[in-house]
Amino acid sequence: MDAILQKYLPERSVDACLSLIKQTGVHLKIVNERVTRHGDYRRMPDGRHQITVNATLNKYRFLITLVHEIAHLVAFEKYGRNIKPHGMEWKHTFQHLMLPFIRPEVFPSKLLPLLAKHFKNPKASSSTDAQLSIALKQFDTQHTDKSYVFELPLGSVFRIYNGKRFKKGRKRVKRYECVEVSTGKMYLFQPNAEVELLSD
């Protein structure tokens, strides 16, 4: 397991992650990318705990995702199964588990202020924190032809992972109004949603 984790995690985080995995008795599966999520925690019918994390994540996002999913398990064990998946109990657990990793030995120093800010009130996904998500993307090894919604010119047409096409509209407080081309329905997009720009 140690050698496998070395491949996916920042070097100075491997031992602590290994000990978290052993303490919680969780079964970790590293899977091919799913578009909709970075990771997943579930309790199996036989009572075992399983976490899956996307193999394509960069080391820093992989670490955040792994600890995020372990926090679900720890929070459920401590507070019971009736808590909200991303409620206060999970947030406190995630903050507590993540704290030992937010150091310059683990993360590049330019990420540390963004991580500190994010973990004051962690979101259900690091992808909904636009600043942190964009900063983390710089460390991706697989550069794609995708763009962020906020980068696109007003009125441009783009496609999302399921093939639906949208036209970018104006910005509401934090998100962008985008109209689905085929139905005329309006949807709100996070500024850092990754999409494929289409030429008209």
Side-chain angles (χ1 to χ4, degrees):
M1 186 62 152
D2 195 357
I4 294 167
L5 289 177
Q6 298 262 357
K7 184 178 164 191
Y8 292 103
L9 287 165
E11 189 184 345
R12 300 292 289 275
S13 70
V14 172
D15 291 345
C17 285
L18 203 53
S19 100
L20 263 181
I21 290 166
K22 283 177 180 163
Q23 279 167 29
T24 53
V26 75
H27 175 63
L28 173 64
K29 270 176 80 174
I30 298 165
V31 297
N32 290 329
E33 185 177 18
R34 293 151 301 183
V35 183
T36 52
R37 54 182 53 183
H38 296 315
D40 184 45
Y41 158 71
R42 62 182 55 168
R43 190 172 180 189
M44 308 307 279
D46 62 5
R48 285 182 312 128
H49 302 283
Q50 179 179 287
I51 284 171
T52 57
V53 182
N54 287 358
T56 52
L57 301 179
N58 71 48
K59 290 182 172 201
Y60 307 113
R61 206 186 274 282
F62 192 100
L63 171 58
I64 293 167
T65 303
L66 176 62
V67 178
H68 171 126
E69 301 306 339
I70 289 175
H72 280 303
L73 161 56
V74 173
F76 282 136
E77 297 276 286
K78 187 173 177 183
Y79 300 103
R81 294 254 143 204
N82 295 328
I83 60 168
K84 289 183 179 167
H86 296 108
M88 288 313 298
E89 300 88 350
W90 170 81
K91 287 183 188 222
H92 290 314
T93 307
F94 192 16
Q95 286 167 326
H96 173 71
L97 292 177
M98 200 64 206
L99 203 56
F101 296 106
I102 302 176
R103 329 193 306 263
E105 296 87 353
V106 176
F107 285 99
S109 51
K110 63 178 175 180
L111 285 180
L112 292 173
L114 297 171
L115 288 164
K117 188 176 161 198
H118 178 79
F119 280 98
K120 280 182 182 154
N121 184 18
K123 306 277 191 293
S125 165
S126 59
S127 292
T128 54
D129 182 333
Q131 260 189 314
L132 178 59
S133 186
I134 290 160
L136 283 168
K137 191 177 167 64
Q138 295 165 26
F139 299 95
D140 288 352
T141 47
Q142 300 172 307
H143 289 288
T144 63
D145 53 359
K146 297 241 173 17
S147 308
Y148 290 121
V149 166
F150 79 87
E151 298 173 320
L152 304 180
L154 193 68
S156 52
V157 176
F158 62 86
R159 180 167 44 211
I160 60 172
Y161 64 89
N162 62 8
K164 290 185 176 178
R165 292 149 54 103
F166 294 85
K167 189 171 189 175
K168 180 180 170 181
R170 65 189 180 83
K171 189 178 184 181
R172 264 198 208 175
V173 187
K174 285 186 177 171
R175 297 185 289 180
Y176 287 91
E177 295 179 349
C178 300
V179 174
E180 188 180 352
V181 175
S182 61
T183 63
K185 279 169 74 176
M186 205 255 289
Y187 292 84
L188 292 174
F189 277 77
Q190 293 282 359
N192 61 317
E194 286 187 84
V195 298
E196 184 189 347
L197 178 61
L198 301 173
S199 44
D200 298 331

